[in-house]
Amino acid sequence: MTNPLFYAKIILFGEYGMIEDSQGLVVPYSFYKGTLKFSDLSSDFELNSNRHLQKYADFLTALDLSDDFKLDIESFKADISKGLFFDSNIPQGYGVGSSGALVAAIFEKYSISKLNPENISKENLKKLKAVFGEMESYFHGKSSGMDPLICYMNLPILIENKENLDRVAIPDGEEGKGAIFLIDSGITGETGPMIQIFFEKMKTEGFRKTLKEEFIRYNNACIDAFLKKDMNPFFRNLKKLSHWAYEHFRPMIPESIFKIWKKGLDSNAYYLKLCGSGGGGYILGFTKDYEKAEKMLEGFQKEVIYRF
């Protein structure tokens, strides 16, 4: 039997803000995916993946997960010795959840008490997110557990606050002029150092104040308008959010993106925001007229993820 596929994820809204109790909207992205497979480990990719799984299994052995969410580590280790690896095309360091998909795949295959993602209660969603946070901390030092949860559920999730999250329906995409798209910054980013910068910034009262009073307000307003498909207030708040990030998240914006970020704000042709922790990887773009934005962003690799 083939193992299920686990898709990448995209944080449409809530990067960094979710650490401080803003809302978040996270969606699966099926263009990238990964699955656990067996092989004779003849390629470097397969061999490296298998070796990483060996180290990760040791980390999981030491984790004290609650009884409802325990893993069969012995089976996991036995499979690793038989040539298990994670076959994935999810780019690492791009903010689309490469470690999240791996954690979700391992949990799905080796959890002792099987869950059905389609009927998990809101309470268990919260517990599962905490478990995934512990499992993913191996990769980032500290994890909210959000990425693996999205990859595992394969459904859009609305994070209401630190305590509450639930499945949500996003408006159906349609072939309009508008689009949400990804721009490749051309470099990989590392989550750990970016989060460190954020926590350093949080030590200053001025930054904490503007994050709470401005960023979180614009972020939550964007989510509310997007889910209602109310595009005028959506783009109005999006511009404020993009401008705020340009002012306050400078270290997280890759240098290759500075000029086009400002160009979008000045022209109102498109607006950019971070996709995940920033520092590299993908940047998210939003526009009412993708053809126009595409011409202005010539030379950058782009992928449309949603049309409206």
Side-chain angles (χ1 to χ4, degrees), residues 238-257:
L238 190 56
K239 180 173 186 177
K240 291 175 185 171
L241 191 62
S242 181
H243 186 267
W244 189 94
Y246 185 76
E247 294 287 315
H248 298 283
F249 279 162
R250 277 291 177 99
M252 290 83 157
I253 301 172
E255 268 184 52
S256 60
I257 301 293

Side-chain angles (χ1 to χ4, degrees), residues 26-298:
V26 193
V27 295
Y29 183 42
S30 61
F31 186 78
Y32 294 120
K33 49 189 118 16
T35 188
L36 290 165
K37 280 184 182 173
F38 289 96
S39 85
D40 57 5
L41 307 180
S42 53
S43 79
D44 285 347
F45 175 85
E46 292 167 2
L47 186 61
N48 284 336
S49 174
N50 180 267
R51 284 177 179 159
H52 282 307
L53 290 182
Q54 286 174 37
K55 289 179 187 165
Y56 187 45
D58 292 337
F59 167 82
L60 292 177
T61 305
L63 269 192
D64 186 21
L65 298 175
S66 63
D67 287 349
D68 293 347
F69 300 100
K70 285 237 183 295
L71 300 171
D72 185 351
I73 301 293
E74 292 315 307
S75 290
F76 183 35
K77 286 183 172 175
D79 284 348
I80 292 168
S81 67
K82 291 175 199 159
L84 188 73
F85 76 104
F86 191 56
D87 186 15
S88 164
N89 69 348
I90 305 171
Q92 294 186 352
Y94 264 67
V96 288
S98 54
S99 58
L102 173 59
V103 168
I106 289 168
F107 182 83
E108 194 279 334
K109 189 166 173 64
Y110 297 102
S111 58
I112 293 166
S113 306
K114 294 299 175 194
L115 297 168
N116 178 354
E118 285 173 24
N119 59 17
I120 295 176
S121 68
K122 203 169 171 179
E123 191 54 41
N124 267 347
L125 265 184
K126 202 158 57 171
K127 288 180 187 168
L128 189 55
K129 179 173 170 281
V131 166
F132 282 151
E134 288 182 66
M135 288 176 68
E136 202 188 25
S137 65
Y138 172 81
F139 301 97
H140 299 315
K142 187 170 194 262
S143 164
S144 67
M146 202 65 230
D147 286 11
L149 186 69
I150 297 296
C151 298
Y152 180 73
M153 299 293 293
N154 195 29
L155 291 165
I157 298 276
L158 174 67
I159 297 94
E160 293 154 15
N161 50 43
K162 276 182 186 169
E163 292 302 311
N164 294 303
L165 59 139
D166 209 352
R167 287 155 285 219
V168 69
I170 66 167
D172 288 337
E174 55 193 53
E175 280 305 312
K177 286 174 76 173
I180 302 175
F181 56 97
L182 297 174
I183 299 175
D184 189 341
S185 69
I187 56 167
T188 56
E190 281 187 50
T191 300
M194 293 298 111
I195 287 177
Q196 205 53 49
I197 291 168
F198 176 76
F199 280 123
E200 278 304 310
K201 280 176 157 291
M202 284 298 288
K203 289 176 184 173
T204 64
E205 193 183 331
F207 180 78
R208 284 201 308 275
K209 193 170 188 290
T210 181
L211 183 88
K212 291 201 161 96
E213 289 177 5
E214 295 176 24
F215 175 87
I216 289 177
R217 183 154 50 94
Y218 306 147
N219 176 80
N220 292 2
C222 281
I223 293 173
D224 184 57
F226 179 70
L227 292 176
K228 289 175 180 165
K229 220 171 178 181
D230 203 346
M231 286 309 177
N232 286 333
F234 176 67
F235 275 97
R236 199 165 56 241
N237 283 288
L238 190 56
K239 180 173 186 177
K240 291 175 185 171
L241 191 62
S242 181
H243 186 267
W244 189 94
Y246 185 76
E247 294 287 315
H248 298 283
F249 279 162
R250 277 291 177 99
M252 290 83 157
I253 301 172
E255 268 184 52
S256 60
I257 301 293
F258 271 150
K259 280 185 180 166
I260 60 164
W261 194 299
K262 183 82 165 59
K263 196 174 167 184
L265 287 169
D266 292 344
S267 65
N268 293 317
Y270 59 85
Y271 303 123
L272 302 184
K273 62 183 293 298
L274 297 177
C275 179
S277 57
Y282 287 120
I283 297 294
L284 268 167
F286 300 78
T287 180
K288 290 180 180 176
D289 185 344
Y290 184 66
E291 249 180 66
K292 183 181 176 184
E294 194 177 27
K295 285 190 186 112
M296 291 176 71
L297 294 165
E298 214 176 335

